[in-house]
Coordinates of all heavy atoms in Angstrom, one line a residue:
S48 N 95.4 121.9 84.7 CA 94.2 121.2 85.4 C 93.0 121.9 85.1 O 91.9 121.4 85.3 CB 94.6 121.1 86.9 OG 94.8 122.5 87.4
E49 N 93.0 123.2 84.6 CA 91.8 124.0 84.3 C 91.3 123.8 82.9 O 90.4 124.4 82.4 CB 92.0 125.4 84.7 CG 92.2 125.7 86.1 CD 92.4 127.1 86.4 OE1 92.5 128.0 85.5 OE2 92.3 127.5 87.6
A61 N 116.6 123.4 60.5 CA 117.1 122.9 59.2 C 118.6 122.7 59.4 O 119.3 123.5 59.9 CB 116.9 123.9 58.1
V75 N 114.5 128.1 63.8 CA 113.6 129.2 63.9 C 112.5 129.0 64.9 O 111.9 127.9 64.9 CB 113.1 129.5 62.5 CG1 112.2 130.8 62.5 CG2 114.3 129.9 61.5
Q127 N 131.6 122.7 69.2 CA 130.1 123.1 68.9 C 130.0 124.5 69.4 O 130.2 124.9 70.5 CB 129.2 122.1 69.6 CG 127.8 122.4 69.3 CD 126.8 121.3 69.7 OE1 126.8 120.3 69.2 NE2 126.0 121.6 70.7
Q131 N 122.9 132.0 69.8 CA 121.6 132.0 70.2 C 120.8 133.3 70.1 O 121.4 134.3 70.3 CB 121.5 131.6 71.7 CG 120.1 131.1 72.2 CD 120.2 130.6 73.6 OE1 120.3 131.3 74.6 NE2 120.2 129.2 73.8
K144 N 134.7 119.1 73.4 CA 134.7 117.7 73.9 C 135.9 117.0 73.5 O 136.2 117.1 72.2 CB 133.4 117.0 73.5 CG 132.1 117.6 74.0 CD 130.9 116.8 73.7 CE 129.6 117.4 74.3 NZ 128.4 116.6 73.9
D152 N 136.0 110.8 78.9 CA 135.4 112.0 78.1 C 135.5 113.2 79.0 O 135.0 113.2 80.2 CB 134.0 111.7 77.7 CG 134.0 110.5 76.5 OD1 135.1 110.4 75.9 OD2 133.0 110.0 76.3
Y200 N 132.1 120.9 87.4 CA 132.7 122.0 88.1 C 132.6 123.3 87.3 O 133.0 123.3 86.1 CB 134.1 121.6 88.5 CG 134.9 122.7 89.3 CD1 134.5 122.8 90.6 CD2 135.8 123.6 88.7 CE1 135.2 123.8 91.4 CE2 136.5 124.5 89.5 CZ 136.1 124.7 90.9 OH 136.7 125.6 91.6
Q205 N 132.8 128.3 91.4 CA 133.3 127.1 92.2 C 132.2 126.1 92.6 O 132.2 125.5 93.6 CB 134.1 127.6 93.4 CG 135.3 128.4 93.1 CD 136.1 128.8 94.3 OE1 135.7 128.6 95.4 NE2 137.3 129.2 94.0
G212 N 124.7 107.3 88.5 CA 123.4 106.6 88.0 C 123.6 105.1 88.1 O 124.7 104.5 88.1
R226 N 127.3 121.1 95.5 CA 127.9 122.0 96.5 C 128.1 123.4 95.9 O 128.9 123.4 94.8 CB 129.2 121.4 97.1 CG 129.8 122.4 98.2 CD 131.1 121.8 98.6 NE 131.7 122.6 99.7 CZ 132.4 123.8 99.5 NH1 132.6 124.2 98.2 NH2 132.9 124.4 100.5
E269 N 102.6 115.3 84.5 CA 103.4 115.8 85.6 C 102.6 116.3 86.8 O 101.8 117.2 86.6 CB 104.4 116.8 85.0 CG 105.4 117.4 86.1 CD 106.3 118.4 85.5 OE1 106.9 118.2 84.5 OE2 106.4 119.5 86.0

Side-chain angles (χ1 to χ4, degrees):
S48 59
E49 296 181 347
V75 177
Q127 183 168 293
Q131 195 173 78
K144 295 183 179 180
D152 293 335
Y200 182 72
Q205 297 184 346
R226 180 186 183 278
E269 181 179 307

